């Protein structure tokens, strides 16, 4: 880990991303960093003057991971010397967390901490829906998706308007995006259609994308309704009781039907009711809810609601897998494979094969060694994101200057 921090971790890129400018500002100097050390020692309310200051402390502490919090009204390291009322979170990226374990009740290939390319499709679908929804509905542009290193993905939104959201506004925004609600004991977790009203436009657009995902992922690949537990879970979501009873009788007698066959059975039941009948309308709404319940993004809402929430920094190493928490391009999310993400051991071997370091002093000066490893495309992706943020900052500064001059 120490060699990784000294030689490979892209401190300058992370600094630019958090600071939105080349010269250190409050966005960085009053930003909280929290470190997890060996033995589960947790150090909060650290802050730094610049990227070199951050690197020096991290190389000194050699944390297993570190997390990033908000920009406070004072430097976090001065927390004990300022009045509590003068130490409040001011700005913070809008963040989201999607974890594969939230899909355990429906995925059939893996469970718990395990993840494979088959169940990664759940994450890929969530990224596509959420990325498009946030850009279209809220107009945010600076979205950074980061693989968590094991079984999930994080989203950091750095637009100025997103940074300035209050906790109340964040709760409202997350509530707007949340479709799946309820704990394990609740069967039906989606109910988006209010009476005979059409679906909200945002849900309708998501449903168009997710209907195809449902067929490929839920019916074919995962085959979620093949087992008795699976099809009985499906029946719990059919609110039209007569139809549910008929299907239960049929599926009990024909236990070897595939998920696709059971879904076709449900479609036939819908068509058996008159076009204008309330039963048919209820069944159509139930089918839409089912598609959403099995494929819509499952958000950890608490992560997004509070400005003072800490989230693992990009390019950290996941302690269980050794993989780097790398940025991910949402346009190619379907082809992303967690198992192909470089590990810390792999990266250090790549460096050793190229040119073994002569001594520890030489190691300290290898600030861009990542360029010679498989970490390079991921850092370059981050740098493109940083460039866009800094361009936005320059435009805002220029507009403010021109406005001041005009007066």
């Amino acid at each position: 880990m120490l060699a990784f921090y000294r030689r490979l971790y892209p401190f300058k890129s992370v600094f630019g991303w958090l600071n939105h400018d080349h010269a250190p500002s409050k966005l960085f100097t009053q930003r909280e960093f929290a470190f997890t050390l060996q033995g589960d020692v947790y150090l909060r309310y650290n802050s730094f003057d610049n990227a070199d200051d951050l690197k020096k402390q991290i190389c000194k502490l050699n944390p297993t991971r570190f997390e990033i919090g908000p920009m406070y009204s004072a430097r976090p390291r001065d927390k004990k010397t300022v009045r509590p009322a003068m130490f409040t979170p001011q700005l913070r990226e809008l963040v989201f967390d999607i974890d594969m374990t939230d899909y355990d009740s429906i995925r059939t290939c893996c469970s718990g901490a395990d993840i494979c390319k088959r169940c990664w499709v759940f994450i890929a679908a969530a990224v596509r829906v959420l990325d498009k929804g946030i850009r279209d509905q809220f107009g945010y542009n600076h979205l950074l998706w980061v693989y968590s290193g094991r079984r999930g993905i994080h989203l950091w939104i750095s637009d100025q308007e997103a940074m300035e959201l209050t906790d109340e506004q964040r709760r409202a925004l997350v509530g707007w995006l949340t479709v799946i609600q309820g704990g394990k004991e609740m069967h039906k977790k989606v109910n988006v259609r209010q009476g005979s009203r059409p679906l909200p436009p945002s849900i309708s657009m998501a449903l168009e994308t997710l209907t195809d995902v449902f067929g490929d992922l839920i019916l074919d690949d995962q085959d979620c309704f093949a087992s008795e537990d699976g099809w009985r879970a499906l029946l719990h979501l059919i609110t039209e009781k007569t139809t549910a009873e008929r299907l239960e009788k049929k599926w009990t007698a024909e236990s070897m039907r595939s998920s696709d066959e059971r879904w076709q059975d449900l479609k036939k039941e819908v068509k058996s009711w008159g076009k204008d009948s309330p039963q048919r309308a209820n069944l159509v709404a139930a089918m839409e809810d089912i598609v959403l319940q099995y494929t819509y993004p499952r958000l950890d809402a608490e992560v997004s609601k509070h400005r003072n929430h800490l989230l693992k920094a990009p390019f950290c190493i996941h302690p269980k897998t050794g993989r780097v928490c790398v940025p991910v391009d949402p346009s190619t999310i379907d082809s992303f494979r967690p198992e192909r993400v470089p590990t810390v051991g792999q990266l250090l071997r790549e460096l050793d094969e190229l040119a073994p370091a002569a001594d520890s002093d030489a190691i300290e000066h290898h600030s861009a060694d990542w360029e010679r490893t498989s970490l390079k495309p991921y850092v370059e992706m981050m740098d493109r994101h940083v460039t866009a943020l800094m361009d936005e900052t320059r435009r805002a500064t220029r507009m403010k200057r021109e406005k001041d001059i005009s007066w």
Side-chain angles (χ1 to χ4, degrees):
M1 286 300 299
L2 184 55
F4 173 75
Y5 288 134
R6 283 176 170 174
R7 302 185 65 185
L8 293 167
Y9 192 89
F11 287 99
K12 289 183 179 179
S13 301
V14 171
F15 166 82
W17 166 59
L18 294 174
N19 192 64
H20 299 199
D21 203 349
H22 293 290
S25 67
K26 290 180 180 180
L27 264 176
F28 186 83
T29 61
Q30 293 180 196
R31 175 83 65 159
E32 179 186 2
F33 291 85
F35 301 116
T36 301
L37 310 185
Q38 295 288 340
D40 287 332
V41 177
Y42 195 53
L43 304 179
R44 284 197 65 178
Y45 302 113
N46 301 276
S47 58
F48 305 94
D49 295 330
N50 50 50
D52 290 338
D53 192 20
L54 172 63
K55 179 177 180 179
K56 182 179 178 181
Q57 184 69 355
I58 284 182
C59 290
K60 178 182 178 181
L61 295 173
N62 193 19
T64 55
R65 59 184 271 180
F66 65 95
E67 297 170 315
I68 298 170
M71 184 202 93
Y72 281 89
S73 51
R75 292 176 187 260
R77 66 190 181 201
D78 298 332
K79 180 179 184 290
K80 293 181 180 179
T81 64
V82 299
R83 297 199 309 273
M86 301 300 291
F87 187 76
T88 57
Q90 302 289 298
L91 299 173
R92 202 262 192 279
E93 293 82 7
L94 177 61
V95 295
F96 292 91
D97 182 11
I98 303 172
D99 196 300
M100 196 68 245
T101 53
D102 290 328
Y103 294 83
D104 277 354
S105 62
I106 53 177
R107 61 174 174 158
T108 59
C109 53
C110 303
S111 63
D114 295 329
I115 187 169
C116 68
K117 66 179 182 181
R118 291 175 59 199
C119 52
W120 180 258
V121 180
F122 285 103
I123 300 290
V127 168
R128 281 190 279 129
V129 167
L130 203 57
D131 191 84
K132 179 174 174 54
I134 286 172
R135 292 179 192 274
D136 291 350
Q137 295 171 55
F138 302 102
Y140 297 145
N141 295 308
H142 301 292
L143 280 65
L144 180 69
W145 290 95
V146 181
Y147 169 53
S148 70
R150 192 176 194 182
R151 57 175 182 255
I153 199 162
H154 300 154
L155 171 61
W156 302 72
I157 305 175
S158 299
D159 294 71
Q160 187 65 27
E161 294 85 354
M163 298 280 293
E164 294 173 351
L165 291 173
T166 65
D167 286 1
E168 184 179 9
Q169 290 168 331
R170 288 167 197 255
R171 285 193 294 271
L173 187 149
V174 173
W176 174 258
L177 290 171
T178 299
V179 168
I180 297 170
Q181 298 176 320
K184 293 180 180 179
E185 69 286 346
M186 186 181 296
H187 295 294
K188 188 171 174 57
K189 296 181 173 67
V190 175
N191 189 13
V192 294
R193 192 185 288 278
Q194 301 296 322
S196 59
R197 297 178 186 175
L199 287 170
S202 59
I203 303 299
S204 182
M205 286 189 294
L207 194 59
E208 289 180 20
T209 300
L210 294 174
T211 298
D212 290 337
V213 174
F214 182 83
D216 295 338
L217 176 62
I218 302 302
L219 301 182
D220 294 338
D221 184 73
Q222 296 287 325
D223 205 6
C224 290
F225 310 135
S227 68
E228 182 172 352
D229 286 345
W231 62 255
R232 287 196 180 279
L234 175 61
L235 289 178
H236 280 300
L237 307 179
I238 300 172
T239 53
E240 209 294 302
K241 296 303 180 185
T242 303
T243 296
E245 289 169 1
R246 283 204 294 260
L247 288 174
E248 181 179 18
K249 184 176 180 180
K250 179 180 179 66
W251 293 346
T252 300
E254 302 175 19
S255 60
M256 299 304 292
R257 294 181 75 74
S258 69
S259 295
D260 185 62
E261 288 172 327
R262 297 190 199 281
W263 191 248
Q264 296 305 320
D265 291 339
L266 177 54
K267 285 185 174 181
K268 289 177 184 176
E269 287 291 335
V270 174
K271 293 177 180 177
S272 70
W273 296 97
K275 285 187 177 182
D276 298 323
S277 66
Q279 292 90 345
R280 183 166 184 159
N282 288 338
L283 283 171
V284 169
M287 291 179 73
E288 291 174 344
D289 286 348
I290 291 166
V291 170
L292 292 170
Q293 179 156 327
Y294 278 81
T295 59
Y296 193 84
R298 299 189 170 208
L299 305 174
D300 185 345
E302 294 307 311
V303 171
S304 310
K305 290 178 180 179
H306 308 288
R307 280 171 294 183
N308 63 353
H309 188 90
L310 292 152
L311 193 62
K312 183 169 56 179
F315 296 103
C316 279
I317 303 296
H318 194 287
K320 299 291 186 183
T321 64
R323 293 183 193 136
V324 186
C325 301
V326 295
V328 180
D329 184 346
S331 68
T332 59
I333 188 66
D334 291 315
S335 59
F336 180 81
R337 295 289 178 266
E339 66 274 13
R340 297 176 188 168
V341 171
T343 65
V344 62
Q346 173 191 335
L347 293 170
L348 293 175
R349 284 195 300 272
E350 289 173 8
L351 282 181
D352 290 341
E353 289 167 4
L354 284 167
D359 53 51
S360 59
D361 291 333
I363 290 175
E364 294 290 350
H365 297 93
H366 289 173
S367 58
D369 274 349
W370 55 261
E371 292 184 350
R372 302 186 291 133
T373 71
S374 51
L375 194 61
K376 180 179 179 180
Y378 301 105
V379 179
E380 289 177 339
M381 190 186 305
M382 173 66 117
D383 285 344
R384 290 193 294 271
H385 182 77
V386 172
T387 298
L389 275 174
M390 290 190 174
D391 287 346
E392 186 82 22
T393 299
R394 279 193 291 271
R395 281 194 295 270
T397 302
R398 186 170 58 250
M399 289 176 63
K400 183 178 184 301
R401 188 184 303 120
E402 290 172 352
K403 183 178 180 182
D404 291 341
I405 292 172
S406 67
W407 283 99

